[in-house]
Amino acid sequence: MRCVFVQFRCQPGKTYEVADAIYAREVVSELYSTSGEYDLIAKVYIPEEADVGHWLTEALFDIPGISRTLTTMTFKAF
């Protein structure tokens, strides 16, 4: 499995709805609210053979209330 972090910027007043929808899909291992430019950050494990962009688009990015995302790929855990 490949670990990626996805940050979500939500439309005003939609953060809790987006968080609930993300959890309902059961595809993230951890989800946190954050300060700064983005409202949420999720730790996601994606199958090695999967195309990351396609997988995330199908699994998460169609949730209403998301206005922007930022995906960070990881390489090695220390």
Side-chain angles (χ1 to χ4, degrees), residues 6-72:
V6 182
Q7 295 183 72
F8 299 88
R9 183 179 300 158
C10 303
Q11 294 170 353
K14 298 293 184 179
T15 302
Y16 286 96
E17 291 175 32
V18 171
D20 289 343
I22 290 170
Y23 262 128
R25 298 203 178 180
E26 299 181 352
V27 296
V28 303
S29 66
E30 298 174 49
L31 181 64
Y32 297 93
S33 59
T34 59
S35 62
E37 285 189 51
Y38 291 86
D39 303 300
L40 301 167
I41 188 168
K43 185 177 186 181
V44 185
Y45 288 97
I46 299 174
E48 287 290 335
E49 68 279 357
D51 176 280
V52 173
H54 186 74
W55 194 95
L56 288 171
T57 297
E58 287 190 344
L60 293 171
F61 293 168
D62 64 337
I63 293 173
I66 296 173
S67 61
R68 187 173 185 158
T69 63
L70 174 66
T71 302
T72 302

